[in-house]
Amino acid sequence: QVHLMESGGGLVQAGGSLRLSCAASGSISSINVMGWYRQAPGNQRELVASITSSSSTNYADSVKGRFTISRGNAKNTVYLQMNSLKHEDTGVYYCNFLQSTSISWGQGIQVTVSS
């Protein structure tokens, strides 16, 4: 089982920046994908960005050029640097860990962007 610990988030004005962190622990395979999803009130959960264990990245069109996903040196930590935040980025952000034997979710962290 993989446990995910999220941190960061909070309240920021439009145009500002935030950084989210997620650390994975437990039975971790060296081949995996870590990512961030978000869910706004009344909306479905959507992929924001993901990164493979070989550092290939994928971004939602709405965040390309503003958000950057990266891995820490320990490879079991993922960061989401969010710049030029917009009101529509508001939501609960969930860390996700995918490997061949399991999929895990963090508890979610609130990001609120005031316009």
Side-chain angles (χ1 to χ4, degrees):
Q1 186 172 353
V2 176
H3 177 69
L4 301 175
M5 181 65 71
E6 301 156 331
S7 61
L11 173 64
V12 65
Q13 289 186 333
S17 298
L18 284 174
R19 190 193 198 205
L20 304 182
S21 301
C22 175
S25 60
S27 301
I28 296 173
S29 168
S30 61
I31 300 174
N32 57 71
V33 181
M34 296 188 75
W36 289 95
Y37 287 70
R38 69 186 178 192
Q39 187 167 18
N43 290 353
Q44 291 185 331
R45 191 175 297 187
E46 61 176 359
L47 174 68
V48 176
S50 64
I51 183 167
T52 69
S53 45
S54 59
S55 298
S56 294
T57 59
N58 182 45
Y59 294 93
D61 288 342
S62 60
V63 307
K64 285 180 180 176
R66 300 188 297 122
F67 291 11
T68 302
I69 191 169
S70 61
R71 293 225 185 203
N73 291 333
K75 300 297 183 181
N76 63 335
T77 300
V78 65
Y79 304 102
L80 185 68
Q81 178 66 41
M82 305 184 292
N83 298 329
S84 302
L85 282 161
K86 303 176 181 180
H87 176 67
E88 49 264 42
D89 294 318
T90 295
V92 179
Y93 283 67
Y94 296 90
C95 181
N96 173 270
F97 186 95
L98 175 66
Q99 57 187 6
S100 63
T101 56
S102 66
I103 181 169
S104 302
W105 292 93
Q107 78 281 3
I109 193 164
Q110 179 69 42
V111 171
T112 302
V113 183
S114 62
S115 55

